[in-house]
């Protein structure tokens, strides 16, 4: 029997967390539920610390670190969120730029001849009748 009160949904997205000691830090969210989320970060955070989570397309929500194991942690959120709205932002479109242009100094000249190669003159006819 699981201790979870709300069903979690798997996610893999970047988010921001405002931490009392570390300030704004990047986190990786691994799963979300109505009242919590699981994530990972490289910094040392402690159980019981109050944090503010900034998820894509959601208003910042306050919470408390509920557990910590290695780099993984869980946050109990103070206000419920809709897990269906928590998604990665769409990838930004690449800027449209002109195709690469070879610098003038490195462009081939109009008269292209390979040094060391000559065109052959016709060989003398060696077959005599």
């Amino acid at each position: 029997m699981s201790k979870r009160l709300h069903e979690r949904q798997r996610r893999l997205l970047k988010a921001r967390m405002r931490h009392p000691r570390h300030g704004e830090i990047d986190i990786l969210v691994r799963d979300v539920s109505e009242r919590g989320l699981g994530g990972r970060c490289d910094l040392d955070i402690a159980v019981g610390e109050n944090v503010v989570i900034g998820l894509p397309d959601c208003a910042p929500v306050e919470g408390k670190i509920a557990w910590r194991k290695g780099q993984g942690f869980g946050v109990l959120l103070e206000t419920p969120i809709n897990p269906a709205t928590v998604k990665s932002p769409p990838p930004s479109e690449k800027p449209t730029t002109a195709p690469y242009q070879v610098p003038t100094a490195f462009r081939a000249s109009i008269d292209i001849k390979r040094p060391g190669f000559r065109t052959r003159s016709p060989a003398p006819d060696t077959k005599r009748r």
Side-chain angles (χ1 to χ4, degrees):
M1 191 87 186
S2 175
K3 295 184 210 179
R4 297 184 189 283
L5 299 174
H6 303 281
E7 186 174 332
R8 65 182 167 177
Q9 296 181 9
R10 295 277 183 202
R11 296 286 187 271
L12 189 58
L13 56 101
K14 291 182 180 180
R16 301 283 291 168
M17 179 168 70
R18 194 173 327 131
H19 190 271
R21 289 182 290 126
H22 301 294
E24 289 276 332
I25 60 174
D26 291 323
I27 62 171
L28 180 67
V29 175
R30 309 219 18 166
D31 58 65
V32 294
S33 70
E34 189 176 319
R35 294 297 299 249
L37 65 87
R40 294 177 63 89
C41 76
D42 296 333
L43 299 173
D44 181 36
I45 57 177
V47 174
E49 291 180 320
N50 292 317
V51 295
V52 177
I53 305 292
L55 296 165
D57 293 335
C58 294
V61 62
E62 294 183 13
K64 186 177 282 198
I65 303 295
W67 59 268
R68 171 79 190 214
K69 184 175 183 183
Q71 292 182 336
F73 63 89
V75 177
L76 178 62
L77 302 175
E78 291 182 8
T79 57
I81 61 171
N82 182 359
T85 62
V86 179
K87 295 184 173 145
S88 292
S92 61
E93 292 186 29
K94 292 183 180 179
T96 56
T97 58
Y100 177 75
Q101 295 289 323
V102 176
T104 307
F106 298 105
R107 291 184 189 160
S109 64
I110 295 173
D111 185 20
I112 301 177
K113 292 183 179 179
R114 294 176 65 186
F117 288 94
R118 298 180 281 197
T119 57
R120 287 187 173 184
S121 58
D125 188 13
T126 56
K127 293 184 184 178
R128 295 195 178 175
R129 293 189 183 181

